[in-house]
Amino acid sequence: MIYTKILGKLGDAEFQSKPVDYVDFEWHETYSKLHRKTSRTGRDIAISLDDSILKIGIKPGDVFGVDSDGTVITADVLATDVLSVKIENPDFFSVSKVAYEIGNCHAPLFAGHEPNELITIFNEPMQKLLEGLHGMNLKVEKRNEKLDFSKQISSIVGHGHGHAHSHEHHGHEHSHEHGHQHGEH
């Protein structure tokens, strides 16, 4: 069966008291329209969503449909490596700077578990960039966890586009061409 829209959330009344079968997604797959997956119980699942998914993304608990046997076909997003950035004594400048640097790398940004924490997807260049921010008291930690999409500040941007950045470093200008695809930063 091909599922073409998100019908609601798993907690909605119409889906309660029904068996559930999950379709697992990696975080970087959640903003794609087309998927061919095998559910946790072995169902062959085809998903073809409209362009709105490019902005809103697939979230844990999204319901794609109800199979012929009454099973609710539902999305789950797997745990992934993240960077937790805790800003000690946060002020407007330090929070803005960290958020800017993460956004400038076209990485998704989430509010953390604590009021002074931001979360982004792990990659080594990002970790080095954040650890290298001077003048701020930051604690950068790599963890593996599920992203809390209710705390999403910015989504993944830059799918399939190319653009140039020009950065000036100590009087020398460097241009970088970027052609981002899913999961590239």
Side-chain angles (χ1 to χ4, degrees):
M1 179 170 202
I2 298 176
Y3 297 97
T4 59
K5 60 178 77 172
I6 294 172
L7 300 179
K9 295 299 264 179
L10 187 57
D12 295 348
E14 64 196 282
F15 304 120
Q16 292 181 359
S17 303
K18 293 186 178 182
V20 177
D21 191 6
Y22 288 96
V23 179
D24 293 324
F25 293 87
E26 299 286 338
W27 73 269
H28 58 85
E29 296 175 313
T30 59
Y31 288 86
S32 295
K33 298 185 328 181
L34 302 173
H35 301 274
R36 187 67 182 237
K37 297 277 198 178
T38 301
S39 72
R40 289 183 188 170
T41 65
R43 285 180 170 83
D44 185 29
I45 305 292
I47 299 167
S48 178
L49 303 171
D50 65 27
D51 287 346
S52 68
I53 207 66
L54 300 174
K55 290 191 186 328
I56 63 171
I58 297 168
K59 308 281 189 284
D62 282 349
V63 173
F64 297 114
V66 179
D67 205 349
S68 58
D69 67 357
T71 300
V72 179
I73 307 301
T74 306
D76 196 14
V77 181
L78 300 171
T80 191
D81 288 339
V82 300
L83 285 173
S84 160
V85 183
K86 291 184 183 168
I87 306 165
E88 302 301 325
N89 305 315
D91 57 47
F92 181 78
F93 175 79
S94 58
V95 173
S96 300
K97 179 71 172 163
V98 170
Y100 169 81
E101 293 296 346
I102 291 170
N104 197 41
C105 293
H106 304 284
L109 181 62
F110 296 80
H113 308 291
E114 299 173 27
N116 64 330
E117 180 183 30
L118 295 171
I119 304 265
T120 191
I121 300 301
F122 168 81
N123 65 51
E124 284 187 41
M126 178 71 75
Q127 184 174 18
K128 288 178 180 171
L129 173 93
L130 294 170
E131 289 173 344
L133 293 177
H134 298 290
M136 291 179 267
N137 191 3
L138 303 179
K139 180 182 177 192
V140 180
E141 175 186 33
K142 178 182 175 184
R143 300 192 302 237
N144 186 276
E145 64 187 36
K146 285 189 168 205
L147 294 168
D148 183 349
F149 285 88
S150 71
K151 295 183 175 184
Q152 188 171 13
I153 296 170
S154 71
S155 62
I156 302 162
V157 295
H159 285 162
H161 77 279
H163 63 275
H165 281 285
S166 184
H167 301 279
E168 198 166 314
H169 299 282
H170 306 292
H172 298 88
E173 190 169 306
H174 301 281
S175 280
H176 305 286
E177 290 289 329
H178 297 287
H180 297 285
Q181 298 297 324
H182 299 292
E184 273 190 353
H185 304 288

